[in-house]
């Protein structure tokens, strides 16, 4: 079963964010991807920018282990302020999959 952690970060405008903000979030993504790979907790699968937020998608066999891997990185990142993560315990196609929202 594939579980997920989906992180929502606020941008500095109501669109796609400034060039500087996007570049800085891309650096954060690299750090998250490296940590996930090193911990063998799953994979970083990409992002979506728009409507004033950036959404980061990560998948693995255990949403809690995946979140525990990225939590220290998010805690020290200024991008996480005001954001949140969704830990999903099940497939995206499962409407009964439990989800837990965590404020960052």
């Amino acid at each position: 079963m594939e579980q997920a952690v989906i992180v929502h970060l606020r941008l500095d405008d109501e669109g796609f964010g400034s060039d500087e903000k996007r570049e800085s979030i891309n650096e954060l993504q690299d750090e998250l991807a490296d940590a996930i790979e090193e911990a063998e907790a799953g994979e970083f699968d990409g992002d979506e920018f728009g409507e004033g937020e950036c959404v980061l998608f990560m998948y693995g066999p255990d949403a809690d282990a995946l979140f525990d891997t990225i939590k220290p990185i998010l805690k020290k990142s200024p991008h996480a302020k005001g954001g949140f993560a969704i830990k999903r315990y099940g497939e995206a196609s499962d409407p009964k999959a439990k989800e837990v929202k965590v404020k960052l």
Side-chain angles (χ1 to χ4, degrees):
M1 174 170 55
E2 187 167 271
Q3 299 185 4
V5 174
I6 303 165
V7 175
H8 294 254
L9 306 174
R10 293 186 351 194
L11 297 176
D12 52 4
D13 66 26
E14 294 300 314
F16 294 95
S18 66
D19 290 341
E20 295 81 17
K21 185 77 163 183
R22 287 193 311 273
E23 184 176 322
S24 184
I25 289 176
N26 284 332
E27 292 171 6
L28 172 64
Q29 290 180 53
D30 291 341
E31 194 174 348
L32 294 171
D34 289 346
I36 293 166
E37 184 177 333
E38 185 176 312
E40 298 180 355
E43 68 178 347
F44 183 90
D45 193 44
D47 62 51
E48 286 183 5
F49 283 84
E51 299 182 12
E53 76 172 355
C54 174
V55 183
L56 308 177
F57 300 91
M58 292 149 274
Y59 301 95
D62 183 335
D64 290 319
L66 186 54
F67 184 73
D68 289 346
T69 298
I70 64 169
K71 184 178 177 180
I73 298 166
L74 293 172
K75 285 189 86 147
K76 70 178 183 177
S77 172
H79 301 300
K81 184 176 182 177
F84 64 93
I86 301 289
K87 296 191 287 185
R88 188 184 67 231
Y89 302 93
E91 299 284 341
S93 60
D94 181 359
K96 295 181 181 180
K98 178 182 173 185
E99 293 186 351
V100 175
K101 183 177 180 178
V102 180
K103 290 183 182 181
L104 300 175

